[in-house]
Amino acid sequence: MAIQRLIKFTLVFTLAVILMGAYTRLSDAGLGCPDWPGCYGHLAVPSASHDLANIETRFPDAQIEPEKAWLEMIHRYIAGTLGLMVLAILILCLKQPQAPKKLPVFIAALILFQAALGMWTVTMKLMPIVVMAHLIGGFSLFALLLLLYLRLKPLRIPGGDTYARKLIPLALASFGVLVIQIILGGWTSSNYAALACTTLPICEGNWVDNLRFADAFSPFQGDHPSFEFGVLDYATRMTIHVSHRIWAVVTAITLILLALKLRFAQSHIMRNSGYLLLFLVIAQVGLGISNVVMNLPLGIAVSHNGGAALLLLTLVFINYALWRKA
């Protein structure tokens, strides 16, 4: 079916947008273009001498960095393309009598809100709560597209799986634990706290006495000309980082427990899902440790974002299979 093929391609494209967004953010290119949706008033990064002269007048405080500006614009181009693909999915679903209607409408509304968050990310100068919301929106879009695909292509488990059905509470808990960890990861990244601790297993120094949870998780951090590179002090960033790291242990244990239990499922679909989940958790833990040990290398940091997205998709599939078809 054409709509199923389109959704599969859109899922891959959504992952590319998530990875490109992470690459742009981690390259400190989020303000490569200080305006929106264009770049210094242009649809592409300006390079002509007369355009640059005009920019100095219109944006007197801006310093043009073409590499960062192009990263930001490429991210906007592919995000815009993704929006068109979601619109096409919506139209096809509305035309097809048996296709879901509410879910594609919600997905279309979500991507419009994502566009608004993208604009606010720039106009509010990388305010952490907006940056994190933009990240969560991208992950939510990814998960809902998979859910729509599953709704259009019914999953069949011959004879059901009574053993796997008993794992519903654990699967739901795993999903909730992972969502919290993704939010903590987004908050860590948007507050530039990824390198607040550079030792393992927790943090250097007398970190327990310096925890500041109220400041660390306050959604509003005052008025600042820009939030680029963060505005919080070390102790507050350290609190964010430690919270993310400790909850990562909780997340890993919960997800590994689910994966190990799925090994005994009667259905090979559920067993394979468990093996995939186990592989992704181990890989994600390794990437997280590598970020600390290797001082946040760009490729590993971006892969860590991608790993979180794939874990989310895997748990969406497992929960869907257990609730709807087991």
Side-chain angles (χ1 to χ4, degrees), residues 35-236:
D35 52 342
W36 191 95
C39 190
Y40 295 98
H42 297 262
L43 292 177
V45 179
S47 58
S49 56
H50 64 278
D51 290 332
L52 297 177
N54 291 333
I55 288 171
E56 292 179 1
T57 302
R58 295 181 58 194
F59 302 89
D61 298 326
Q63 182 179 357
I64 302 178
E65 297 181 73
E67 296 84 1
K68 291 185 177 182
W70 271 116
L71 278 178
E72 174 64 11
M73 287 308 295
I74 290 171
H75 180 222
R76 294 182 192 179
Y77 293 152
I78 62 174
T81 304
L82 176 61
L84 295 176
M85 294 167 71
V86 169
L87 177 61
I89 291 171
L90 173 62
I91 293 171
L92 288 174
C93 284
L94 293 177
K95 287 183 175 180
Q96 185 174 320
Q98 296 181 345
K101 301 295 185 292
K102 294 180 181 179
L103 183 55
V105 168
F106 183 79
I107 291 172
L110 175 60
I111 205 161
L112 289 176
F113 186 56
Q114 270 293 91
L117 286 170
M119 176 184 67
W120 294 332
T121 295
V122 175
T123 58
M124 295 184 179
K125 306 300 180 185
L126 301 182
M127 182 182 287
I129 189 67
V130 177
V131 174
M132 187 189 72
H134 195 43
L135 172 71
I136 299 305
F139 277 61
S140 300
L141 177 66
F142 198 33
L144 290 173
L145 282 168
L146 176 64
L147 183 59
L148 179 59
Y149 177 78
L150 293 173
R151 291 278 304 277
L152 287 165
K153 187 177 182 180
L155 177 64
R156 293 286 179 260
I157 299 179
D161 195 328
T162 54
Y163 170 84
R165 185 96 179 157
K166 298 176 183 178
L167 299 178
I168 286 177
L170 180 58
L172 273 176
S174 299
F175 182 80
V177 166
L178 178 63
V179 168
I180 293 173
Q181 179 64 359
I182 290 172
I183 292 172
L184 284 171
W187 195 240
T188 300
S189 178
S190 61
N191 281 285
Y192 298 86
L195 293 177
C197 296
T198 56
T199 61
L200 294 170
I202 302 296
C203 203
E204 60 268 16
N206 193 21
W207 59 272
V208 176
D209 293 334
N210 292 312
L211 295 174
R212 298 181 183 175
F213 290 104
D215 294 333
F217 295 102
S218 173
F220 304 107
Q221 301 170 358
D223 295 326
H224 300 275
S226 173
F227 292 87
E228 190 173 20
F229 307 118
V231 298
L232 302 178
D233 59 24
Y234 170 75
T236 308

